[in-house]
Amino acid sequence: MEEINALFNGFAVVLTPYNMILMVVGILLGVIIGVLPGLGGANGVAILLPLTFSMPPTSAIIMLSCLYWGALFGGAITSILFNIPGEPWSVATTFDGHPMAQNGKADEALTTAFTSSFIGALFAVIVITFLAPLVAKFALKFGPAEFFAVQFLTFASFIGMGAGSPFKTIMAMCLGFALAAVGLDTITGQLRMTFDFITLLKGFGFLVAVIGLFGIGEMLSSMEEGLEFKGAHAKLRLDAVLRTWKQLPKYWATSLRSCLIGVWMGITPGGATPASFMSYGLARRFAKEPKTFGKGNPEGIVAPETAAHAAGTAALLPMLTLGIPGSPTAAVLLGGLLIWGLQPGPLLFVEKPDFVWGLIASMYLGNLVGLIVVLTCVPAFAAILRVPFSIVAPVIMVICAVGAYTVNNAIFDVWLMIVFGVMGYVFGKLKYPLAPLVLALVLGDTAESSFRQAMLASQGSLSIFWANPLVTTIMTLGVLMLLWPAISWLRGLLRRQGGSVSA
Amino acid sequence: MSTEQQTDETPLVSNRAMEIATALFFLLASSIVIFDSLKLGVGWKESEGPAAGYFPFYIGVIMALASLIVLFQGVVKRVGAGKTFVTREGFNSVILVLIPLIIYVGTIEYIGIYVASALYIALFMWHFGKYNIFMGLAVGTGVALGLFAMFEIWFLVPLPKGPLEEFFGY
């Protein structure tokens, strides 16, 4: 068992006092970020990323990935206690979590949520441990055409599996690609779309875009709604935790189903948010008494939390093995790897085993530490939410501004952050998806250069994308995904002619 | 998040108007991309492969096509009509947050990020939270000092500084 050996080496990397401290710091900051509005996993990592440039990459990724786990845990706290989803993927948790809290069962709801999150993450990490090396080994055979095909599939899946208008997904994605193209073209050395502005030479920093789109954008909509926190008090006593744990095994079927949904949605770029909704919907459909859902059924917490955490964790698998992030936060982490001079992809497993296995080992430990931290510190985190919004809001704005500045030490980026913030606010309201935009911004250069290399190899013929069975399969899947909205539209049209009207 | 809530607040902009405006914004963006790509060349270069404008050109074209469809949906099929994008009250509160934010960023270059942040937090709390200005200054100064310790001392990442920091020898 090669993987087990490698994993133990990874644990040896993680179990130094320095890395353990970073791990706990990451989890704590992550939970706080997950609890606060305006700061989420993606922009939390984006703000802290510049501060980690001086650390060894392994320590940096441990801290930042733990921040991500913490944010995943933190989202559940606000959903259950305050009926405010701190993160989009915890929206489904509010359906049953908040009613449970109102019925005086906040402690059980929280324990259920945290434990389910932990199980989902653990399942996904085990999948990563054994599947990632295989995928990486397989991907070593990939040439530029195959890489472009995988990237094409990733972006096509956004169009095929997105909930909103496929045209808006395409527009958001293309905007990301266009912004990524700004600056120096690495292949020809020509300047693109800089229009003689020196500041644009380096292109648009995706970190700035993430901070603006997710952070400032969300703050603006929160201010419009005049957000106020009113919530249940929370205390977690050990007996409540134990009592809940005794109850949980009877939801094993939901749990397993949610794990599978989550891992699948995480590896394909569906992401944690649709995974949580899908898992909640299926749990209700398969339940013996679907009517109890929405009124405080613990199963309604198990399903979305397990799936969200499994998806969030599994999103790192394609990031590490193929260089394709499965979620916006994974995209920011990927950007980090590039900045640290690590090229994500199959070679990473060969060239930097310490880094890869250290990261995977830290996922096991990080989630365990995270579970303990959230179970013991809930009252402290809930207290953060009692700080009035008029104090929290300007502090978050300042943190975002500082974060945007430190990306390139440029005031220009802070202005850019505000522009992206307004964009994020408008896009959010009109349901333009932000994830494909961010992903295109991060992956734009890589996708373009694999496309151009493939074209160079084939002397300009697109047939290279159908040259062998492997690339043909991936490309065909991609085209299918791309056409999926059109197919389902046609099916809907036919069905409507048949008489029944349904979505 | 909820754009459809029916309240007695005055609607200011409809979703349809914003859909059209955003589609026009995207059209503008795609025409910039297409224009620049054409200038760089969108064809094939010997031994270099696709020219620098090749990839962005098609991105621009796809973006323009999708924007035209969304524009069509807004103008002709009246998608989003009758839904409120923002009420007058909502717009006012967004502008009231946005303008101080712009002023804050504008002052960073002159008085440094720490002083600007402290003042921004203090005034924000005083104006929106109805706090005593001294309370606001206390919180603002605390946050600024925390940031200072973290960036200048702990992580050694220099942030923009102004006359006050200079006075203290930084």
Side-chain angles (χ1 to χ4, degrees):
Chain A
M1 290 250 102
E2 243 179 280
E3 288 86 8
I4 302 283
N5 262 335
L7 186 63
F8 276 102
N9 285 335
F11 277 114
V13 173
V14 179
L15 287 170
T16 62
Y18 180 62
N19 286 344
M20 289 302 285
I21 290 172
L22 285 180
M23 185 182 272
V24 176
V25 169
I27 295 274
L28 285 174
L29 281 176
V31 180
I32 294 172
I33 279 167
V35 165
L36 289 174
L39 289 173
N43 58 339
V45 175
I47 289 171
L48 278 176
L49 194 63
L51 287 182
T52 62
F53 290 162
S54 55
M55 295 180 188
T58 314
S59 306
I61 189 92
I62 288 173
M63 184 172 114
L64 293 177
S65 60
C66 281
L67 193 88
Y68 184 24
W69 317 139
L72 283 164
F73 276 116
I77 300 178
T78 50
S79 303
I80 290 170
L81 294 183
F82 299 88
N83 206 22
I84 299 164
E87 300 292 336
W89 54 71
S90 39
V91 172
T93 311
T94 59
F95 300 161
D96 278 284
H98 193 62
M100 266 183 91
Q102 282 175 321
N103 298 342
K105 289 186 188 162
D107 43 4
E108 287 177 35
L110 286 168
T111 313
T112 308
F114 296 149
T115 317
S116 308
S117 302
F118 175 73
I119 291 170
L122 191 66
F123 184 86
V125 185
I126 294 172
V127 169
I128 290 180
T129 309
F130 294 100
L131 197 59
L134 294 179
V135 176
K137 218 171 275 175
F138 182 64
L140 274 177
K141 297 188 201 109
F142 279 20
E146 282 82 3
F147 271 114
F148 180 75
V150 174
Q151 280 147 353
F152 177 73
L153 176 60
T154 310
F155 286 106
S157 329
F158 273 115
I159 299 166
M161 307 202 311
S165 154
F167 303 111
K168 289 184 174 172
T169 311
I170 294 175
M171 285 155 76
M173 194 183 289
C174 287
L175 189 64
F177 276 120
L179 290 174
V182 173
L184 196 71
D185 172 28
T186 44
I187 298 182
T188 59
Q190 279 173 297
L191 291 178
R192 297 198 291 199
M193 288 179 268
T194 55
F195 301 102
D196 296 328
F197 285 109
I198 294 172
T199 29
L200 288 180
L201 273 182
K202 277 179 297 193
F204 286 98
F206 72 96
L207 292 172
V208 178
V210 168
I211 296 168
L213 288 170
F214 289 88
I216 304 295
E218 200 185 310
M219 291 309 291
L220 290 179
S221 25
S222 303
M223 284 309 290
E224 187 197 332
E225 284 160 24
L227 197 60
E228 256 182 86
F229 296 129
K230 285 190 197 107
H233 274 268
K235 265 204 191 97
L236 274 188
R237 277 192 303 271
L238 189 65
D239 59 315
V241 173
L242 294 176
R243 186 155 28 97
T244 316
W245 280 354
K246 262 185 219 146
Q247 300 275 320
L248 284 180
K250 73 178 179 206
Y251 305 120
W252 65 273
T254 301
S255 194
L256 184 64
R257 189 185 331 109
S258 309
C259 281
L260 293 172
I261 295 172
V263 167
W264 172 251
M265 296 292 275
I267 293 176
T268 61
T273 311
S276 62
F277 279 106
M278 192 193 259
S279 168
Y280 184 86
L282 284 178
R284 188 169 53 186
R285 191 172 299 170
F286 283 107
K288 283 185 205 103
E289 301 161 76
K291 278 188 183 159
T292 57
F293 275 76
K295 290 176 188 148
N297 187 336
E299 208 172 342
I301 301 176
V302 172
E305 280 296 309
T306 312
H309 228 103
T313 311
L316 293 191
L317 192 151
M319 181 200 95
L320 283 173
T321 53
L322 301 170
I324 291 173
S327 74
T329 313
V332 179
L333 286 173
L334 177 112
L337 295 191
L338 293 174
I339 296 172
W340 296 319
L342 297 169
Q343 183 66 47
L347 278 175
L348 197 64
F349 279 76
V350 182
E351 286 170 356
K352 302 270 180 199
D354 274 7
F355 176 82
V356 172
W357 290 102
L359 170 61
I360 293 176
S362 82
M363 292 183 193
Y364 284 96
L365 285 174
N367 276 297
L368 188 63
V369 173
L371 180 67
I372 296 167
V373 166
V374 285
L375 280 178
T376 46
C377 302
V378 164
F381 292 124
I384 294 173
L385 278 174
R386 291 204 181 77
V387 178
F389 191 64
S390 49
I391 300 179
V392 172
V395 174
I396 290 175
M397 296 281 204
V398 165
I399 292 174
C400 287
V402 171
Y405 179 84
T406 48
V407 173
N408 282 321
N409 288 330
I411 289 278
F412 175 72
D413 283 341
V414 188
W415 290 114
L416 212 54
M417 171 196 83
I418 297 181
V419 174
F420 277 114
V422 174
M423 261 167 67
Y425 165 75
V426 175
F427 285 9
K429 285 197 143 191
L430 295 179
K431 306 218 165 14
Y432 281 89
L434 295 181
L437 200 167
V438 171
L439 222 55
L441 193 52
V442 175
L443 278 186
D445 283 339
T446 337
E448 184 185 352
S449 76
S450 37
F451 177 77
R452 280 160 80 173
Q453 281 165 17
M455 292 297 272
L456 199 57
S458 72
Q459 284 304 304
S461 158
L462 284 173
S463 66
I464 187 151
F465 297 118
W466 278 271
N468 64 50
L470 177 63
V471 73
T472 307
T473 316
I474 306 173
M475 253 346 235
T476 312
L477 271 177
V479 172
L480 195 69
M481 274 293 171
L482 195 63
L483 296 178
W484 192 251
I487 295 168
S488 47
W489 180 71
L490 279 176
R491 270 174 50 195
L493 210 65
L494 289 174
R495 202 176 302 160
R496 213 167 305 156
Q497 280 174 340
S500 67
V501 183
S502 66
Chain B
M1 249 176 240
S2 51
T3 45
E4 291 146 80
Q5 54 184 192
Q6 291 299 315
T7 48
D8 43 308
E9 294 177 348
T10 2
L12 184 69
V13 186
S14 76
N15 255 8
R16 176 172 173 247
M18 275 317 277
E19 291 279 8
I20 295 172
T22 319
L24 288 174
F25 162 79
F26 271 100
L27 265 183
L28 178 73
S30 41
S31 48
I32 294 174
V33 175
I34 294 171
F35 170 79
D36 187 76
S37 308
L38 284 172
K39 210 173 58 186
L40 287 169
V42 295
W44 183 267
K45 268 192 179 168
E46 247 351 281
S47 81
E48 267 185 21
Y54 183 96
F55 194 79
F57 175 74
Y58 287 102
I59 290 294
V61 170
I62 296 168
M63 180 153 68
L65 290 176
S67 323
L68 282 174
I69 293 171
V70 172
L71 186 66
F72 171 80
Q73 286 174 337
V75 173
V76 181
K77 296 175 93 182
R78 305 184 65 84
V79 168
K83 280 189 197 168
T84 309
F85 179 81
V86 69
T87 60
R88 184 170 295 280
E89 289 77 5
F91 181 74
N92 283 347
S93 49
V94 170
I95 286 299
L96 272 177
V97 177
L98 209 51
I99 289 174
L101 185 64
I102 291 170
I103 296 174
Y104 160 60
V105 177
T107 53
I108 288 176
E109 265 178 281
Y110 304 100
I111 58 174
I113 206 163
Y114 301 109
V115 178
S117 301
L119 290 176
Y120 173 69
I121 292 171
L123 293 173
F124 195 106
M125 281 172 62
W126 172 71
H127 186 262
F128 290 99
K130 308 280 171 251
Y131 284 92
N132 189 319
I133 187 74
F134 294 106
M135 171 75 179
L137 281 172
V139 175
T141 313
V143 171
L145 284 177
L147 286 174
F148 188 85
M150 187 164 160
F151 284 88
E152 308 286 335
I153 297 168
W154 186 17
F155 281 102
L156 298 173
V157 175
L159 296 183
K161 287 179 279 291
L164 186 71
E165 289 88 349
E166 224 165 88
F167 178 77
F168 285 108
Y170 273 93

